[in-house]
Amino acid sequence: MDLKSKLRHVMNFPKEGIDFIDITTVLQDAEAFSQCIDQLKVKVQAAGDFDLIVGPESRGFIFGTPLAYSLNKGFIPVRKKGKLPYKTIQAEYLLEYGSDILEMHEDAIKPGQKVVIVDDLLATGGTTQSSIKLVEMLGGKVAGIVYLIELSFLNGRERLKDYRVESLVKF
């Protein structure tokens, strides 16, 4: 299935000049969503042996949790500041249109555990770099990073060149 053809473009969202790629068209199509998860699963498994899947808020949750379930792995949410109930560590990140802070529970990853980071989109790589920082602050190792979509023209892959990066759809 051509997942690229299932995605919707919303121009000038969330601000002027941004071409937002909407994944809800994939999510609402049962066959497309199933194919998406199956294809992501192959990419995640290619990272080799790992212990956990890490998913940044919020769309990383959508793809990371079914993958964790199907691979019998734990899932670690990375959330925006103030959203997690227990003690956290944090990292600031820049987006192509702003900045924010991500947090992870301080006991989410044990030293030496290997993780695969799963998210919907690689743009500039800022969100992923913050997720990597959080994983590594806790002594974890990033075995791979997997995305549904990659915006190649923003060169996010270059910022992540020290890690195994996979994506299903490239623009």
Side-chain angles (χ1 to χ4, degrees):
M1 174 179 292
D2 177 18
L3 292 173
K4 190 174 195 176
S5 69
K6 298 288 187 177
L7 298 165
R8 173 173 43 208
H9 292 259
V10 180
M11 297 305 300
N12 301 315
F13 182 84
K15 71 178 205 174
E16 190 71 29
I18 301 291
D19 174 8
F20 186 89
I21 301 173
D22 181 9
I23 63 166
T24 62
T25 49
V26 170
L27 301 178
Q28 68 195 26
D29 180 325
E31 184 181 356
F33 186 48
S34 180
Q35 283 290 314
C36 177
I37 295 300
D38 289 347
Q39 290 179 36
L40 287 170
K41 184 176 177 179
V42 171
K43 299 282 189 188
V44 168
Q45 289 173 312
D49 183 43
F50 68 96
D51 304 295
L52 301 162
I53 290 180
V54 170
E57 185 170 327
S58 64
R59 292 175 301 271
F61 298 2
I62 293 169
F63 299 107
T65 54
L67 289 166
Y69 173 79
S70 70
L71 293 166
N72 197 32
K73 304 292 183 183
F75 178 79
I76 306 299
V78 172
R79 303 225 43 205
K80 292 183 180 173
K81 185 176 180 175
K83 301 277 186 153
L84 290 170
Y86 188 63
K87 297 174 192 169
T88 62
I89 58 171
Q90 57 182 234
E92 186 171 2
Y93 69 103
L94 297 175
L95 295 164
E96 58 273 17
Y97 49 84
S99 67
D100 213 337
I101 294 175
L102 291 178
E103 295 183 324
M104 179 187 289
H105 281 144
E106 68 180 12
D107 61 354
I109 298 169
K110 294 175 181 56
Q113 283 188 306
K114 295 178 189 170
V115 308
V116 174
I117 298 171
V118 174
D119 207 353
D120 71 322
L121 180 103
L122 171 58
T124 63
T127 302
T128 303
Q129 281 186 317
S130 291
S131 296
I132 291 168
K133 183 177 180 181
L134 293 170
V135 168
E136 293 178 347
M137 285 171 64
L138 294 176
K141 308 286 184 209
V142 177
I145 307 165
V146 178
Y147 303 95
L148 168 56
I149 303 163
E150 179 177 349
L151 302 179
S152 303
F153 59 91
L154 291 175
N155 300 315
R157 185 179 286 265
E158 180 60 28
R159 291 177 70 179
L160 306 171
K161 64 183 175 198
D162 295 331
Y163 302 91
R164 177 187 179 91
V165 175
E166 300 280 347
S167 59
L168 296 183
V169 176
K170 293 182 182 173
F171 288 95

